[in-house]
Amino acid sequence: MIPSESPQTLPADTAIILLGRGGLGPAAREEMQSMVEGVRTALPGAQVEGAFVDRESPSLPEALDACAGARRIVVQPVFIPGDKSLLRWLQKVALRWRARQSSDRPLPEIAFAPALGSLPELSTLLARQTCAAGRLPDVAGTAGEDWQRDPIAWSNIPPHQRHVLFCLGPRCAALGAATLWQHLGDRLRASGKLQKTVMMLQTSCQYPCNHGPLMIVHPDGTWYGKLDEAVIDRIVEQHLDQGTVDEAYCVYRRGG
């Protein structure tokens, strides 16, 4: 348990990182930004940053970089349900981040607050929320008149020649995969031709995490690892455009 202090007793030189799970589309970023702004309002003067375990940026190491000048950093997971093994691994991420820092200044203490699902106050909040929702209108009045109609594109098979399965699981995300995903999309859009022939798909953990960040090119069956922006540029030019595997960063090749 953590001490029952009021928000006004937050120690000086303490930074807060709200740590969530990412998702497709802008909803995760918008909700995270709303939470960050709300905590900043509740704690005037406090440094509050948002970060994501997977699928989005900034990652936890990037948020720790932003808080590096603090004396103490509190990481508050804000996702439900919790995951004990994931939270243990995130502590390793924080320790590895601190081990990489320069020793010419004091290193910040890092503490992980309890997961939201373990807080007894959450039940009271949910009860109040559901009671209020009992007065909301029926779904038929909020879904819109054309709720039965789906976009035509949902029935069309894309004409792509290759799929890039890009890992945005927690370990690759901690290594900067979310930013690299954006870079890959920018490169394909800039090409024009490749935007039509290559479909990008996000995946959760692909498991050989020590090779991360990872991506797989199908149907070629080629796994690439240790990605950075320069490596992605090479793969786009050599493999996705010209069809030649970049052997320097290929960690597995079907039949090879």
Side-chain angles (χ1 to χ4, degrees):
M1 297 295 291
I2 58 175
S4 56
E5 299 183 17
S6 66
Q8 288 75 22
T9 61
L10 183 74
D13 299 326
T14 297
I16 299 171
I17 296 175
L18 303 183
L19 184 62
R21 304 298 296 262
L24 296 174
R29 294 189 299 274
E30 291 171 356
E31 289 188 10
M32 175 61 73
Q33 186 59 36
S34 178
M35 283 191 289
V36 167
E37 291 174 357
V39 175
R40 286 174 178 166
T41 300
L43 300 172
Q47 180 180 3
V48 184
E49 306 290 341
F52 295 94
V53 173
D54 51 8
R55 293 186 177 271
E56 287 285 357
S57 62
S59 64
L60 177 56
E62 290 170 328
L64 289 169
D65 285 340
C67 298
R71 180 184 61 82
R72 183 175 176 84
I73 303 172
V74 175
V75 180
Q76 173 63 68
V78 294
F79 51 87
I80 297 176
D83 184 329
K84 291 182 179 179
S85 62
L86 174 60
L87 292 172
R88 284 195 298 270
W89 175 78
L90 289 168
Q91 293 176 7
K92 291 184 179 182
V93 172
L95 289 171
R96 288 169 179 159
W97 172 85
R98 193 161 60 184
R100 294 193 300 269
Q101 304 309 300
S102 172
S103 59
D104 60 359
R105 63 179 181 182
L107 298 177
E109 296 179 354
I110 303 173
F112 279 75
L116 288 187
S118 68
L119 302 179
E121 298 90 341
L122 183 62
S123 298
T124 302
L125 174 62
L126 290 176
R128 185 166 66 246
Q129 178 80 349
T130 52
C131 286
R135 297 186 291 272
L136 295 176
D138 180 75
V139 64
T142 60
E145 295 181 357
D146 60 346
W147 63 269
Q148 291 185 337
R149 185 171 58 200
D150 292 331
I152 295 176
W154 289 9
S155 300
N156 295 337
I157 306 300
H160 297 81
Q161 299 173 6
R162 289 188 174 93
H163 290 77
V164 173
L165 309 182
F166 204 98
C167 182
L168 285 171
R171 291 158 183 81
C172 283
L175 296 171
T179 300
L180 296 177
W181 163 266
Q182 297 294 333
H183 181 73
L184 175 61
D186 291 343
R187 285 301 311 271
L188 296 182
R189 284 188 290 273
S191 167
K193 177 185 74 172
L194 293 179
Q195 186 179 16
K196 299 177 180 179
T197 60
V198 178
M199 172 172 272
M200 296 170 57
L201 297 172
Q202 296 183 5
T203 77
S204 56
C205 185
Q206 296 177 5
Y207 294 106
C209 304
N210 288 340
H211 294 291
L214 279 161
M215 73 179 193
I216 308 171
V217 179
H218 275 313
D220 309 40
T222 303
W223 293 56
Y224 288 108
K226 303 296 183 184
L227 301 174
D228 59 26
E229 290 188 357
V231 173
I232 287 176
D233 291 345
R234 287 173 47 133
I235 294 169
V236 168
E237 294 170 3
Q238 296 182 27
H239 190 162
L240 301 181
D241 190 19
Q242 302 174 19
T244 302
V245 173
D246 188 337
E247 300 290 351
Y249 294 94
C250 175
V251 298
Y252 175 80
R253 189 176 181 183
R254 184 180 58 197

